[in-house]
Amino acid sequence: MTSRKGKTPEEVSDPDIVDDIQDTERAGKENGHSPFIGFAAGICSGWTKLVVGHPFDTIKTRLQCTPTGTFNGAWDCFTKTISKEGPRALYKGASVPAVSWGITDSILMGSLHNYRAILLRHGFTERTPKKDGERLSLLGHSVAGLFAGWTNASIAHPTEVIKCKLQLQLVQPEHVPKQFSGPFDVVRQTVAEQGITGMWRGLGASFIYRSCFAAMFGGFEIFNRLFKSFDGTKYEMSTELANFLAGGMASNMYWFTALPLDNIKNRIMVDSIKNPRYKGVFDAYRQVWRETYNPSKGFSWNSVARVKNFYKGFVPVVLRAFPTNAAALAVWEGVMRWSNAT
C-alpha cells in the first residue's frame, strides 16, 4: 500500500507509522496520522521498564555515587543490599519512577513517533528494498531519536534528581540520619536552598546524555532490518521476537556510549544541596577524570583506571539493559500495532 508522496514506511520497525500516514479508510473514515497514540503506548513501555529494570538501576546508582571501596563490584552491592535491607530495598525509591517513567517514556516514545513522521515527510527518506516506495532512512531514525531524547530531558531531569538522591541515601550507615524523608522532602529542601532551578541543576548533562538516544533508535532500526532480511530462511523470526531482540541489542549500543555521561549526570544530581562539590558539567567531568590518577603509575595504568571510573556500574547496566529495553520496546511496538489494527 502506498502512502502520500509514494512513501512506504519500514514495515518492521515502524508499525506506528505504517497506517498513520497512509490514505486508508476505516469504518468509512479517513485515518490520518495519530499524534497521540505514541504517548499512550509510551506509558506502557515506561511501566515495563520500572518492573524489570528498577532493581538494576538501584545497584548502578549506588556503585556510581558511593565512595570508592564501599562495594567490591555489582554482586557485592547486590548481596549487601539484600542482607542489610531485604529484597524490597531494590525497589526503594520506585514510587517516583512509577509515575515519572510512565510520563517520561510517554514523552520520549510519543515524540519519537511524531518526529519519525515529520522527518519522513521532509526528506529523510530512502528507497525500499523492493524499489516500490520510500521509507525513513537510518539517519532519519537516528535524528528522531536525538530529538526525542532532547524533548524528554527537560521533563525527566527533576524526577531523576529525586530518584537518585533517595537511592543514594539508602547506602548510608545506620547511625547517619537520613537527609530526606521522601520525594516531596527532596523537592522542598532543594527549592529552599537553590530555588526552583535547583531541580534542573546539571540539565546540560542530561541533554548530552540523552543525545545517545540517536544510537538507541538508529541501532533499533538497523537490527530490525537485519532480522527482516532473514525472512525466507531458517533464521526467520516473528515480528514480536525481532522487536524484542532488536530492542535489547540497541540498548547495549546505547549504554556503551551513554554510561560515562550517565555517570557525570548522576554525580551532579546527588551532589550536596548546601555545599555542592561540582561547579558544572565540565567540572564534574574534570574531577572524575582526575580522581583515579596515580602519579606513581604509568600512562597505561592511569588510562585504564580512568576508563573504569567512567564506566562504574557497567555490570548492572549490561544485565539490566537487554531485558528492560527489549521488553519495553517490544511492548511499545506491540501497542502501536494493536492501535493500527483497531
Side-chain angles (χ1 to χ4, degrees), residues 37-233:
I37 186 61
F39 293 99
I43 295 174
C44 298
S45 70
W47 287 341
T48 302
K49 284 182 180 179
L50 173 71
V51 173
V52 179
H54 190 78
F56 295 99
D57 191 62
T58 297
I59 299 301
K60 172 181 70 72
T61 300
R62 292 185 178 197
L63 286 173
Q64 287 180 338
C65 301
T66 53
T68 302
T70 303
F71 301 111
N72 186 27
W75 181 252
D76 182 55
C77 180
F78 174 79
T79 54
K80 285 182 177 178
T81 299
I82 295 296
S83 62
K84 291 182 179 180
E85 305 168 53
R88 292 180 62 184
L90 297 173
Y91 282 94
K92 284 184 176 179
S95 58
V96 172
V99 177
S100 66
W101 281 9
I103 296 173
T104 57
D105 250 50
S106 174
I107 294 170
L108 174 68
M109 304 308 291
S111 60
L112 174 75
H113 166 65
N114 286 288
Y115 285 134
R116 281 177 169 181
I118 292 169
L119 292 171
L120 183 67
R121 292 189 178 101
H122 290 84
F124 284 79
T125 59
E126 63 186 22
R127 299 293 291 175
T128 61
K130 295 181 180 179
K131 309 299 182 183
D132 57 352
E134 292 183 316
R135 63 183 180 183
L136 189 64
S137 65
L138 291 176
L139 176 61
H141 281 279
S142 298
V143 172
L146 175 69
F147 289 169
W150 288 349
T151 302
N152 177 256
S154 59
I155 306 299
H157 189 85
T159 65
E160 290 196 350
V161 168
I162 298 170
K163 174 181 70 72
C164 287
K165 288 185 182 298
L166 291 177
Q167 283 180 332
L168 184 61
Q169 75 173 8
L170 295 175
V171 300
Q172 294 175 339
E174 294 182 1
H175 67 275
V176 177
K178 298 293 187 289
Q179 182 178 359
F180 307 108
S181 60
F184 292 107
D185 192 42
V186 174
V187 176
R188 182 186 64 79
Q189 291 192 43
T190 302
V191 172
E193 190 67 32
Q194 300 178 342
I196 190 64
T197 58
M199 295 301 300
W200 279 268
R201 183 172 180 267
L203 179 61
S206 277
F207 273 97
I208 296 171
Y209 158 67
R210 283 182 167 77
S211 296
C212 297
F213 277 116
M216 174 78 162
F217 292 111
F220 184 57
E221 176 65 11
I222 289 171
F223 289 119
N224 266 312
R225 292 187 185 185
L226 173 65
F227 297 142
K228 182 65 176 175
S229 70
F230 296 162
D231 285 1
T233 72

Side-chain angles (χ1 to χ4, degrees), residues 309-325:
N309 200 34
F310 276 104
Y311 276 89
K312 276 185 177 180
F314 180 76
V315 172
V317 162
V318 170
L319 294 175
R320 169 188 181 269
F322 193 102
T324 301
N325 292 282

Side-chain angles (χ1 to χ4, degrees), residues 220 240 243-244 247 325-335 337:
F220 184 57
E240 293 78 11
N243 289 160
F244 182 86
N325 292 282
L329 283 170
V331 166
W332 185 73
E333 293 279 14
V335 173
R337 280 193 295 274

Side-chain angles (χ1 to χ4, degrees), residues 293-311:
Y293 177 71
N294 187 337
S296 65
K297 302 289 185 179
F299 174 80
S300 298
W301 186 94
N302 279 295
S303 297
V304 171
R306 283 168 165 169
V307 170
K308 289 174 66 177
N309 200 34
F310 276 104
Y311 276 89

Side-chain angles (χ1 to χ4, degrees), residues 14 70 198 219 253 272 304 322 342:
D14 286 344
T70 303
M253 288 180 60
S272 171
V304 171
F322 193 102
T342 57

